[in-house]
Amino acid sequence: MEDKKIIYYEDELNDDFAKMNIIPTTIDENYKYFHKNPLWNICSFLLQNIFSMPIKCLYSKFKFNHKIIGREKYKECKDKGYFIYANHTQPFADTFLPSLSNYPKRNFFIVNPENISMKGLKTLVKMLGAIPVPGNIKATKIFLNQIKYTIKKGYSITIYPEAHIWPYYTKIRDFKSVSFKYPVELNAPVYVHTNTYQKTKKGKCQIVTYIDGPIYTDSSLNKKESQEKLCNEVKQLMIGRSKESNYEKIIYIKKEVVTNTEVENTNF
């Protein structure tokens, strides 16, 4: 029997097992979200959609025997920008799996500052579509303008509402509705990208991705209510798809919280 790694967690909203150990760059109003240089943008497009694609395809095929189910659903919104919400279970592959599913549309990612803080790789990661979360109010305004611009151009933006990486996790962690304000504000459609872990005939691990959507915001509700509804719809779709997982490479167990009262009761 295969020995499985066990990870103990305390807080599914905040625990992170990516082990990046990177000191994050401060994303303030001086961070360059927009690049007006045509050459920079041409290079970014070529890197995103041309040069990197063979590497992405080969890696996903040989590492995970990756399979996508439902990619034809993207056709309904092929001429408009939309958001993709995905579960966060791979430190490297999550940076491009959504890009494979909705190719040839350009896909961007909202990321934590750590992702664009790696020495020697900052520019490369930016060119591949990383949009880092801002660190102050002034930067937030520019960040939001970048999101609006990207959707208006007809591109897609991937968001990981779980925020933190739990490698090979087969369930869906709880997440808040805060990241769903963007499609509500922009009245943009939403797709759900759920990675599941399934056993092949040879007993190996395979990632099977399910695409669901589009989901549209409910204009009959106020923004807050629409945001909550959208969050719950995405969450339920992810939970439903996650049940297709039948391969557990890493077992996650919640730590038992022992209260002072329980400790006292054990003292005879």
Side-chain angles (χ1 to χ4, degrees), residues 40-91:
W40 196 98
N41 287 297
I42 291 172
C43 290
S44 176
F45 167 74
L46 292 175
L47 188 61
Q48 267 186 295
N49 277 36
I50 306 289
F51 300 141
S52 67
M53 290 310 293
I55 299 173
K56 296 172 182 176
C57 291
L58 289 172
Y59 181 88
S60 62
K61 181 64 177 178
F62 288 103
K63 176 71 174 178
F64 299 110
N65 192 22
H66 186 220
K67 181 180 180 181
I68 303 169
I69 297 176
R71 70 194 314 164
E72 70 281 354
K73 297 173 183 177
Y74 284 125
K75 292 181 180 179
E76 184 173 329
C77 299
K78 65 179 181 179
D79 296 324
K80 62 179 72 173
Y82 51 75
F83 291 88
I84 300 172
Y85 286 83
N87 54 327
H88 214 359
T89 60
Q90 286 295 321

Side-chain angles (χ1 to χ4, degrees), residues 150-203:
T150 303
I151 293 298
K152 188 176 180 180
K153 290 286 288 184
Y155 304 143
S156 63
I157 296 178
T158 295
I159 297 175
Y160 291 98
E162 293 173 324
H164 304 294
I165 300 172
W166 285 26
Y168 293 93
Y169 191 59
T170 58
K171 297 178 182 179
I172 303 301
R173 288 166 277 150
D174 192 22
F175 50 81
K176 298 179 180 180
S177 64
V178 61
S179 65
F180 291 84
K181 63 183 178 182
Y182 310 119
V184 172
E185 288 285 346
L186 301 177
N187 194 28
V190 164
Y191 282 92
V192 184
H193 172 115
T194 310
N195 290 326
T196 66
Y197 294 90
Q198 301 184 25
K199 185 181 293 186
T200 66
K201 292 180 180 179
K202 295 182 179 181

Side-chain angles (χ1 to χ4, degrees), residues 86-147:
N87 54 327
H88 214 359
T89 60
Q90 286 295 321
F92 178 57
D94 279 354
T95 63
F96 60 80
L97 289 182
S99 301
L100 292 178
S101 67
N102 77 335
Y103 186 80
K105 184 183 285 287
R106 288 186 73 180
N107 182 57
F108 294 78
F109 293 82
I110 293 180
V111 301
N112 290 322
E114 289 88 344
N115 291 272
I116 55 96
S117 303
M118 295 174 281
K119 293 181 179 180
L121 295 175
K122 295 179 182 180
T123 301
L124 178 65
V125 174
K126 292 177 186 178
M127 283 190 165
L128 285 170
I131 305 175
V133 175
N136 62 32
I137 296 176
K138 290 183 179 179
T140 297
K141 184 177 180 180
I142 306 171
F143 167 78
L144 294 175
N145 286 335
Q146 173 66 41
I147 291 177

